[in-house]
Amino acid sequence: MTRVLKTSGFLGLAAMMVVGLYQNVLLASGQAAPAWMIGGHAHLGVLSILAIVMGFAVDALGVVGRIRSAVTGLYVVGQWFLPLTVWLAGGFGLGFLHPTAFVWGLCLIVAMLLMAYRTATASADAGGQARASALADD
């Protein structure tokens, strides 16, 4: 599952770089890059970097089972659909999609809260592997 997060992260960075190059073409030709394009570009870049980090964090914390699947699925959906919503709603005049940004944002938030929960309830054993623990272990 972390392969999915890491792959999605690197793929997202590649897509973000293509959009960045296109923005440079626009600027070099005397045109301005539209705000919606810049916003989607920034969101995809940051969310893609975090997808890679999440891939390593899921492994490091020993997240398994349904929580691992939920974190991976929710994060990847949010990573892609949030910037796509910005691009489609702003760039293609599909304003009715704007409210869906809250759904994709909620996916990202839930994934982060699940990771926060796992971080708060797990600690490393002597071998550096994460193990379940109680909040009072600190």
Side-chain angles (χ1 to χ4, degrees):
M1 283 278 182
T2 61
R3 182 178 296 179
V4 171
L5 281 166
K6 294 171 193 170
T7 301
S8 184
F10 287 116
L11 185 61
L13 286 174
M16 181 267 317
M17 290 172 185
V18 169
V19 173
L21 287 174
Y22 179 67
Q23 289 176 356
N24 185 61
V25 168
L26 290 176
L27 294 172
S29 66
Q31 302 173 55
W36 58 265
M37 186 183 294
I38 295 168
H41 172 257
H43 278 87
L44 185 58
V46 171
L47 292 173
S48 295
I49 291 167
L50 287 176
I52 297 166
V53 172
M54 287 280 283
F56 287 104
V58 164
D59 283 340
L61 292 170
V63 180
V64 295
R66 291 187 320 192
I67 292 179
R68 185 181 184 111
S69 297
V71 165
T72 300
L74 290 167
Y75 194 86
V76 170
V77 164
Q79 173 203 357
W80 285 99
F81 282 101
L82 186 62
L84 282 174
T85 297
V86 172
W87 287 333
L88 293 172
F92 293 94
L94 303 174
F96 66 91
L97 291 176
H98 277 299
T100 66
F102 293 102
V103 174
W104 316 133
L106 187 59
C107 289
L108 293 166
I109 291 167
V110 171
M112 289 297 171
L113 289 174
L114 289 170
M115 289 298 288
Y117 171 77
R118 179 64 180 147
T119 301
T121 60
S123 63
D125 64 11
Q129 297 297 317
R131 66 168 177 82
S133 64
L135 285 172
D137 281 355
D138 286 344

